Amino acid sequence: MSGIVQTVSCLDGYDPDALRVGKAIEAIKVCLSPVQEVEVVEIRKALGRILAQEVVPDINVPAHDNSAMDGYAVRSSDLSEKETMLEEIGVALAGKPFQGSLGKKQCVRIMTGAVMPQGADTVVIQEVVKREGKRVVVPPGQKKGQNVRYAGEDLAIGNAVLHPGKWLLPAEIGLIASLGIGEVKVKRRLRVAFFATGDELASIGMKLKEGEIYDSNRYTLHGMLSRLGVEIIDLGVVRDDPDLLEEAFLKAAGTADVVITTGGVSVGEADFIKQLMAKLGEVLFWKIAMRPGRPMAFGKVQDAYLFGLPGNPVAVMVTFYQFVRDALLHLSGRTDDYAVPLLKATTMEKLRKVPGRTEYQRGILYREAGEWKVRTTGQQGSGVLRSMSEANCFIVLEHDRGSVAAGEAVHVQLMEGLA
Ligand code: AMP
Ligand code: MG
């Protein structure tokens, strides 16, 4: 490209040609600022959202010392090293405390969750006692304080338990409910607009003309975005036409925090998109040292971040998972370490690879005689979407690595849980 200066102010110093995967991830991250706006939602609606407040208990959970078992509430000072005979003076049920207090050699029958009666400090499980009318015989060997749950042992008044940035899952929703809180402040959802470009793309419901294919990337993207809990704006298919593309970019950037496109960034096609980007925003066109997914654009159009992903169906998924997923989670306000872990497995076949790029081969991870092994799905062309469907993991072959022999250890990244 001559005549066009491509710059992105936050990306000074990153060489757009032959950028390593790790560098590209780093470069993207330095440009991103997470959403700031918050909203208040009912806690069931907070599932999958990012907390934007501290949650500080103003009650203890549990609120009272209570029994962890069905049995007898006793005073440990009454128990001897032999059997101890106690008198049962009442019952404590969950929600129906025993009114009164234990005197010497007295006990109260108690159910799980019932408040510990005054004077009692220990619960003896019902299975070990002998009962004779109102007399209860406790065997030796009981420990002071056993089977008692203490007030505040789960959540204590004043001790912040959830912090801003926390991704709210079912446990957190329940925990907030256990404090009697019905609404929480969360970050507003990230808005992501996307469209596919290509003159060969037909939409579902249209009859394919010669040379056309159905647009599948918009559907894969829709699926991947749905699992991240972002707000999705699908802008459809846009022809390879500068005016239509300009209109689409402006519309997307005007409504969303992030714009994702697929197609049009490969060497043969990128030129006029580059012209357009130079006019509309600050976008870098990267040749990333990876396979699949080498060409990718990143930058800003107006206030929106732009990810220009490749058109090949596997490449769009690989680049989404390796770059866009983490960027969207960061922008959404997640502060935990959400990177997808790399696990080790033994490859059962030779894997062809040249040093100088990171490869994401599609693999099937399986267990044999207690050992995790992996094989490829076969054909690794970046147009073979079937390989993504058959795979349950990426086999991640590092930048400097060459071909791998059968029996060697490789890193894999599980696809399940790639949300
Ligand atoms: P491009 O990046 O536009 O050069 O496209 C690379 C390859 O991906 C071409 O074979 C395209 O036909 C194909 N492709 C591009 N966009 C899509 C799409 N939305 N769905 C399926 N295949 C696509
Ligand atoms: Mg194209």
Side-chain angles (χ1 to χ4, degrees), residues 197-200 240 263-266 269:
T197 73
D199 284 339
E200 76 282 30
D240 289 326
V265 291
S266 55
E269 291 191 321

Side-chain angles (χ1 to χ4, degrees), residues 283-393:
V283 177
L284 280 187
F285 286 76
W286 285 343
K287 293 191 189 78
I288 302 179
M290 70 187 291
R291 184 161 148 157
R294 197 164 104 98
M296 194 177 102
F298 172 73
K300 288 197 98 168
V301 176
Q302 297 178 342
D303 286 335
Y305 298 100
L306 171 80
F307 291 90
L309 304 185
N312 273 307
V314 179
V316 73
M317 293 193 80
V318 170
T319 48
F320 184 93
Y321 282 139
Q322 301 306 324
F323 304 109
V324 184
R325 171 193 178 271
D326 287 13
L328 297 185
L329 293 178
H330 180 71
L331 284 171
S332 297
R334 283 272 293 271
T335 52
D336 56 322
D337 189 354
Y338 42 74
V340 181
L342 288 172
L343 309 174
K344 265 194 180 152
T346 306
T347 175
M348 297 319 285
E349 55 199 17
K350 182 178 169 172
L351 304 172
R352 242 188 281 271
K353 156 94 166 55
V354 290
R357 65 183 183 217
T358 307
E359 286 199 13
Y360 298 88
Q361 301 200 2
R362 273 74 69 211
I364 299 168
L365 185 69
Y366 62 100
R367 216 163 17 157
E368 204 172 64
E371 197 191 339
W372 286 103
K373 298 179 174 177
V374 67
R375 59 190 159 80
T376 71
T377 55
Q379 241 185 325
Q380 294 291 310
S382 68
V384 183
L385 189 54
R386 182 169 44 82
S387 69
M388 280 298 293
S389 168
E390 287 171 356
N392 61 4
C393 69

